[in-house]
Amino acid sequence: MKNLNKLIIITGPSGVGKGTIVKKLLDRDKDIWLSISATTRNPRMGEKDGKNYYFVSNESFKEMIDKKEFLEWAKFSGNYYGTPLSKVNEKIEKGFIVLLEIEVEGAKQIKEKFPEALSIFLLPPSKEELEKRIRKRGTEKEEAIQKRLSRANYEIPFSSKFDFALTNHDIDETVKAVFNIIKSGNSL
Ligand code: 5GP
């Protein structure tokens, strides 16, 4: 893969605001492209196959692993998630800045394989605030919320392993900060 300074990893615990921030970045700059992941989790209300995720069976996901079709993949809260490699390559070659919005294990894998990729870890202002945000989103049942919160306790201490760690107090401020990092990272 070429031009890896155009590969941007946005990571951090579930509920920290990664999705909202990424959407705003995409609205802001048409040269930014978001990779669509494959997942074995069920679609949430309103989610569309090929738009939010490629929703696949466990079997198909394992086949994709065997065929080495993923840039990275990880198990998160009982489901598999992975970044399809071919589109990422294609978009980087076309000159796009490619964003990966992924959980921490996958982000660590990419950082190890491709240290030139730029990685940003988003932190919540506090664990209480993270829980409030996950509950407010209203997309998970209690059991899934608990799993995500305990996973967050494992993930948060890794924030210092990434190029940047930003606390998401205010969405617009964080979007500005991430945008500046992306843009300066790309002009180096
Ligand atoms: P959700 O189920 O809330 O959509 O996603 C759960 C977690 O999986 C989030 O932290 C999200 O960023 C992460 N995720 C989404 N796609 C991928 C992927 O392709 N690879 C990895 N490693 N994590 C992903």
Side-chain angles (χ1 to χ4, degrees), residues 10-15 18 35-39 41 44 47 53 70 72-77 79 81-84 101-107 109 137 139-140 148 155:
I10 312 260
T11 193
S14 171
K18 300 193 290 289
S35 164
I36 301 170
S37 301
T39 183
R41 91 151 156 70
R44 293 178 185 137
E47 282 186 334
Y53 280 107
F70 289 122
E72 61 71 42
W73 63 272
K75 195 171 186 190
F76 177 92
S77 267
N79 290 299
Y81 296 80
T83 305
E101 190 245 285
I102 62 178
E103 56 70 62
V104 176
E105 284 306 310
Q109 285 176 42
R137 191 164 74 178
T139 47
E140 271 82 30
R148 281 168 188 249
E155 292 176 324

Side-chain angles (χ1 to χ4, degrees), residues 1 9 18-19 31 34 65-66 73 75 78 81 89 95 101 112 114 118 128-129 133 143-144 151 160 163 170 174 183:
M1 227 191 312
I9 308 160
K18 300 193 290 289
D31 289 337
L34 173 67
I65 296 175
D66 291 342
W73 63 272
K75 195 171 186 190
Y81 296 80
N89 273 331
E101 190 245 285
E112 277 159 24
F114 310 111
L118 187 71
E128 291 72 28
E129 176 62 22
R133 288 183 191 175
E143 193 194 336
R151 175 78 173 207
S160 59
D163 298 324
D170 172 85
T174 308
K183 284 295 180 179

Side-chain angles (χ1 to χ4, degrees), residues 16-33:
V16 75
K18 300 193 290 289
T20 313
I21 287 161
V22 161
K23 256 188 230 128
K24 291 194 176 230
L25 290 169
L26 295 175
D27 287 345
R28 214 168 155 152
D29 189 335
K30 298 298 168 213
D31 289 337
I32 301 177
W33 179 80

